[in-house]
């Protein structure tokens, strides 16, 4: 019946815009499974703790165009040649800006080294509105990526991550 979360602030201090949402989900799931839930925190007025009883995060996410009102797509470009990576990453971002239905294109920005990959990497983040054109927009992006790879003989250098964590 009794559950305590010690130093609950640590689940909020991540560099992820979804950290508050994940903390709320975790704490709410604990609250549903136990009779009494104690939360130890230094930030008792933090919106994540407050919103467990009132849902204030959704209007804020709608206003700023964050999920669940949009879809995020990360496009990763890899290459052992840094100059070519920079050139093609920038060119791809410019072409993506022309795709109808994309709300925003950010990048390319450097990615940290990943396990198992020796090449340098860049990320281009797309924000797609969740509307009736979503599937058509995703198809347009996929078509553009495929054409980009074929035209430049760049197969195997681009990957996508839909709804990145």
């Amino acid at each position: 019946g009794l559950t305590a979360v010690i130093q609950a602030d640590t689940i909020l201090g991540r560099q992820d815009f979804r950290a508050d949402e994940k903390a709320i989900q975790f704490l709410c799931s604990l609250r549903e499974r136990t009779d009494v839930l104690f939360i130890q925190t230094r930030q008792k007025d933090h919106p994540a703790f407050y919103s467990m009883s009132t849902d204030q995060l959704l209007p804020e996410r709608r206003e700023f165009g964050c999920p669940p009102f949009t879809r995020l797509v990360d496009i990763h470009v890899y290459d052992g040649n840094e100059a070519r990576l920079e050139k093609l990453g920038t060119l791809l971002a410019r072409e993506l800006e022309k795709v109808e239905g994309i709300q925003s294109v950010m990048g390319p920005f450097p990615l940290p080294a990943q396990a198992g990959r020796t090449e340098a990497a860049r990320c281009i983040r797309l924000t797609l509105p969740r509307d009736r054109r979503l599937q058509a927009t995703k198809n347009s992006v996929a078509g553009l990526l495929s054409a980009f790879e074929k035209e430049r003989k760049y197969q195997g250098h681009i990957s996508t991550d839909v709804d990145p964590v």
Side-chain angles (χ1 to χ4, degrees), residues 45-90:
D45 297 327
H46 190 283
F49 301 122
Y50 176 76
S51 67
M52 286 180 63
S53 58
T54 64
D55 196 0
Q56 82 180 57
L57 289 180
L58 281 179
E60 184 177 290
R61 287 174 165 274
R62 182 187 308 270
E63 179 182 345
F64 291 108
C66 294
F69 302 103
T70 58
R71 296 293 300 266
L72 297 179
V73 178
D74 279 357
I75 299 171
H76 297 167
V77 183
Y78 302 96
D79 203 316
N81 181 323
E82 188 80 30
R84 182 174 52 210
L85 173 65
E86 199 61 42
K87 177 183 174 188
L88 291 175
T90 301

Side-chain angles (χ1 to χ4, degrees), residues 3-4 8 25-26 36 50 54 58 73 76 83 88 91 101 113 115 144-145 150 157 163-164:
T3 303
Q25 288 174 349
F26 172 70
V36 179
Y50 176 76
T54 64
L58 281 179
V73 178
H76 297 167
L88 291 175
L91 184 60
L144 185 142
L145 293 176
K150 285 179 185 172
H157 291 269
D163 292 329

